[in-house]
Amino acid sequence: MLPVFLVTFPFFALIAAGYAAARGRILPLDAIPGLNTFVLYFALPCMLLRFGAGTPIGQLLDGSVALVWGVCALAVVAGVVMFTRNARVGWNDAAFGALVAAFPNTGFMGVPLLVAILGAQAAGPMIIAIAFDMVVTSSLCIALSRLDGAAGAGRQGASLAARKALRGILVNPMPWSILLGVLLSAARWPLPGPIEKTIAMLADAASPVALFTIGAVLARSALLAREHGASEAVAQAMGTGLKAAPRAPWADVLPVVAVKLLVHPLLVWGLGLGAIAAGLALSHAALATIVLVAALPSASNVSMLAERFGADNGRIARIILWTTAVAFFSFPLAVGLLK
């Protein structure tokens, strides 16, 4: 187990460094969107493009991986929505709770971490998982989040939700970089030397900057939530009538953390073994990869989506923070058990 911790420690140490830098205001909070933009629009797409172009097309079009991952992702979404929706948690919060439970931090954290642990063979299954989560899982949860106003908005509200989900996919550079990588792999076209070098330089920057940014985003969420609560408390004391939003109870947070780090990987592992036993052409290496992808903490960009669509972002940020903190111990354990 110690060798696994030695491999994973630098990745979590970079997250901790980003958290400490933002928490101590060494890194200005206004600089975090710039880091996010660099990773999302430049470094990470170049990393995915490079992995896609260098991965055999058969691995990128592995229907067995897509089937197992997709069924498990949809099962997690359905289960979390079903068991968390109540008088406190409406469709909007339940949908984003489901998204944060089903959407691992594959891009910012999983790609560099699992390639370091498993080698380049892990790239294919991870690209399939990223593509499914960005196109299907995210769109489904955004559509479910709009059901709170469906009765009043009718068909127009559903159409608006569909357009928002589609626009989110179209403006996200990661699906396009994956698609371009798949096309380059299928055609076996090498990139011109200067372009390949530029892409390689940006791709090499993705891992450290992305991990540092995860920590900074988590720290910003914690700081803003604390400052927002303090400002509302002052406003109440001054008699302005402003009411502080109640903090989500632990009963709305911890079960989702458990689903993300325990139920999701176990579900992928169980269904994958069942698929292999049934004769599905799923390799044990690919299964190990997607099980470890499922064992990753929640994706940090879910917090930004929740804020954009008016969900309880404080709850989502706490889930992301706790899955990241617990994964420091749980993820190396999962790696050790699978290896």
Side-chain angles (χ1 to χ4, degrees), residues 11-336:
F11 294 85
F12 287 96
L14 281 173
I15 295 174
Y19 187 92
R23 188 83 178 188
R25 301 300 179 102
I26 300 171
L27 175 72
L29 298 187
D30 292 341
I32 297 175
L35 289 175
N36 233 328
T37 299
F38 172 75
V39 174
L40 181 62
Y41 286 92
F42 295 94
L44 193 56
C46 287
M47 174 184 278
L48 293 173
L49 172 62
R50 185 168 66 169
F51 279 132
T55 303
I57 188 64
Q59 294 183 24
L60 297 174
L61 301 178
D62 192 332
S64 302
V65 171
L67 178 63
V68 171
W69 182 261
V71 169
C72 291
L74 297 179
V76 169
V77 169
V80 172
V81 168
M82 183 183 304
F83 289 107
T84 60
R85 200 167 70 87
N86 52 42
R88 291 189 312 273
V89 180
W91 277 106
N92 197 12
D93 290 330
F96 280 100
L99 182 59
V100 85
F103 199 156
N105 207 335
T106 317
F108 277 46
M109 185 178 179
V111 172
L113 180 56
L114 291 182
V115 168
I117 294 173
L118 301 176
Q121 65 177 0
M126 279 192 290
I127 287 174
I128 293 171
I130 292 173
F132 187 93
D133 286 336
M134 288 191 298
V135 176
V136 180
T137 311
S138 297
S139 301
L140 173 62
C141 289
I142 290 172
L144 290 175
S145 75
R146 303 297 88 195
L147 292 180
D148 275 329
R155 185 176 298 176
Q156 184 178 0
S159 176
L160 179 61
R163 288 199 301 270
K164 285 184 176 181
L166 179 60
R167 184 178 182 278
I169 296 170
L170 293 178
V171 301
N172 191 326
M174 288 196 287
W176 297 109
S177 64
I178 290 173
L179 177 60
L180 181 57
V182 171
L183 293 177
L184 290 173
S185 175
R188 297 183 180 179
W189 287 342
L191 291 170
I195 295 178
E196 183 179 13
K197 181 63 175 178
T198 303
I199 289 174
M201 291 174 68
L202 285 169
D204 289 341
S207 298
V209 180
L211 295 167
F212 188 90
T213 303
I214 291 172
V217 168
L218 293 175
R220 182 186 62 180
S221 299
L223 286 169
L224 292 180
R226 186 179 66 180
E227 292 174 359
H228 180 62
S231 65
E232 290 186 331
V234 171
Q236 280 187 299
M238 295 176 65
T240 62
L242 180 64
K243 293 183 179 180
R247 191 182 189 190
W250 284 111
D252 293 341
V253 173
L254 292 182
V256 182
V257 174
V259 170
K260 178 72 220 69
L261 297 180
L262 183 63
V263 177
H264 192 191
L266 286 176
L267 185 62
V268 174
W269 179 69
L271 183 61
L273 288 180
I276 292 173
L280 198 67
L282 177 67
S283 70
H284 286 280
L287 176 58
T289 300
I290 58 175
V291 170
L292 291 178
V293 169
L296 290 167
S298 302
S300 55
N301 66 316
V302 178
S303 177
M304 292 179 283
L305 283 174
E307 184 174 352
R308 183 183 305 171
F309 286 92
D312 184 354
N313 190 34
R315 171 178 174 248
I316 299 301
R318 289 168 69 197
I319 292 170
I320 295 170
L321 177 60
W322 278 104
T323 56
T324 304
V326 175
F328 177 76
F329 303 98
S330 64
F331 187 81
L333 180 62
V335 174

